Amino acid sequence: MRWLVTGAGGMLGRDLVEELLARGERVAGLDHAALDITGADAVDRALAAYRPDVVVNCAAYTAVDDAEQDEERALRINGDGPGLLAHICTAYEARLIHLSTDYVFAGDARTPYAENHPTAPRTAYGRTKLAGERAVLDELPTASAIVRTAWLYGVHGRSFVRTMIELEASRDTVDVVDDQRGQPTWTADVAATVADLGPRVGVDATGILHATNSGEATWYDLAREVFRLLGADPDRVHPVTSEAMPRPAPRPAYSVLAQGRRQRLGLARARDWRTALHEALPRIRKETLRETP
């Protein structure tokens, strides 16, 4: 198969390109400098040049707090861009996998969000990502899939896990929010799910599915586990409330995503977040140390 990955310079995009190459696939990974998904001519030229069977859109405006003041720009990238990609995919008979987020939900549930749970975003970022979902499904209903994920960390780029590695080395104690619950998720595992899904889009897998690691944790739980794996005392991590760390965009109190659709499609079972973190952390720490002056 021929794959085209947009946003290939980001944390998930880089892992996806690596996963596809490791599987022997033909893949073109284009970062923002190589392809701006909001430009119709640029998108058309890219699809004409690479003739992909599957396009995976990892490009996104992810500055959650900044989006509160710049929703128009976020909407161009997160809403209009995916719709444009989907529209041009039809001309080249390409399938599209679009990455989305838990922020499309209200974040006030008490049980995991199913794929068909009503959406109710409470932030500009969530609203723009939901607009992108709808645009893709409207333009390419029988040859697209929406993959929602959450709480991502990876070897490449900034993440909560990398921040905790840095803070463990530089502070005696760290205050971390303990009233937001979700699923810490390694981008490499999401990349593997997307690679498995690609050949099935337009065959027996369309619509929305969730892709995260399994289990639940708070940011405080995750920070303690990072410290433990580093050989540090987890009690150096202190729990605080969200009110103690206010942000321009409110964070969801509950971001756990159900995996029912994934299971029905027979995709590989999501592994526990602790198992994934145990494997990922040495790689992230090595990359963090390499980049530290």
Side-chain angles (χ1 to χ4, degrees), residues 100-102 104-105 111-120 130 133-134 137 145-149 183 193 197 206-212 256-267 270:
S100 192
T101 175
D102 59 297
V104 300
F105 296 118
T111 57
Y113 285 101
E115 288 86 353
N116 62 353
H117 192 281
T119 53
L130 180 58
E133 289 188 9
R134 290 172 172 169
L137 294 176
I146 307 297
V147 177
R148 293 182 184 139
T149 189
Q183 295 156 301
T193 298
L197 179 66
T206 56
I208 299 169
L209 66 87
H210 294 162
T212 61
V256 180
L257 301 180
Q259 307 277 335
R261 183 89 193 286
R262 174 184 185 142
Q263 294 172 10
R264 290 192 295 274
L265 288 171
L267 295 171

Side-chain angles (χ1 to χ4, degrees), residues 188-244:
D189 285 356
V190 179
T193 298
V194 171
D196 289 341
L197 179 66
R200 300 178 60 175
V201 175
V203 180
D204 63 352
T206 56
I208 299 169
L209 66 87
H210 294 162
T212 61
N213 286 127
S214 63
E216 301 181 12
T218 66
W219 294 113
Y220 168 72
D221 297 330
L222 175 56
R224 284 179 58 89
E225 188 67 7
V226 170
F227 272 55
R228 187 186 72 80
L229 292 173
L230 292 172
D233 182 2
D235 289 339
R236 290 168 53 196
V237 181
H238 297 168
V240 298
T241 65
S242 298
E243 286 73 17

Side-chain angles (χ1 to χ4, degrees), residues 122-147:
R122 294 183 171 180
T123 64
Y125 171 69
R127 289 190 292 272
T128 63
K129 290 297 289 184
L130 180 58
E133 289 188 9
R134 290 172 172 169
V136 168
L137 294 176
D138 286 346
E139 289 283 352
L140 206 59
T142 62
S144 66
I146 307 297
V147 177

Side-chain angles (χ1 to χ4, degrees), residues 18-198:
E18 291 175 5
E19 176 69 23
L20 293 170
L21 290 174
R23 296 185 181 205
E25 300 283 1
R26 290 178 289 175
V27 55
L30 303 180
D31 62 12
H32 176 72
L35 177 60
D36 178 354
I37 65 167
T38 66
D41 289 344
V43 172
D44 187 77
R45 285 195 300 269
L47 267 68
Y50 296 106
R51 295 284 173 169
D53 300 300
V54 180
V55 176
V56 183
N57 182 38
C58 297
Y61 182 109
T62 59
V64 175
D65 289 325
D66 291 348
E68 293 298 309
Q69 303 300 322
D70 199 5
E71 187 166 353
E72 183 178 347
R73 180 166 181 259
L75 183 61
R76 285 199 306 272
I77 299 169
N78 292 342
D80 300 341
L84 179 63
L85 269 176
H87 179 71
I88 296 176
C89 278
T90 61
Y92 291 91
E93 297 183 345
R95 292 162 274 174
L96 176 62
I97 299 175
H98 172 61
L99 273 297
S100 192
T101 175
D102 59 297
Y103 275 75
V104 300
F105 296 118
D108 58 0
R110 295 182 180 275
T111 57
Y113 285 101
E115 288 86 353
N116 62 353
H117 192 281
T119 53
R122 294 183 171 180
T123 64
Y125 171 69
R127 289 190 292 272
T128 63
K129 290 297 289 184
L130 180 58
E133 289 188 9
R134 290 172 172 169
V136 168
L137 294 176
D138 286 346
E139 289 283 352
L140 206 59
T142 62
S144 66
I146 307 297
V147 177
R148 293 182 184 139
T149 189
W151 286 37
L152 294 179
Y153 65 86
V155 174
H156 311 292
R158 302 299 307 176
S159 69
F160 178 86
V161 169
R162 177 172 287 203
T163 298
M164 289 302 107
I165 292 172
E166 294 170 347
L167 293 180
E168 188 282 322
S170 61
R171 294 188 187 179
D172 292 333
T173 62
V174 180
D175 292 342
V176 179
V177 169
D178 192 31
D179 58 2
Q180 298 170 19
R181 180 166 292 274
Q183 295 156 301
T185 298
W186 188 15
T187 48
D189 285 356
V190 179
T193 298
V194 171
D196 289 341
L197 179 66

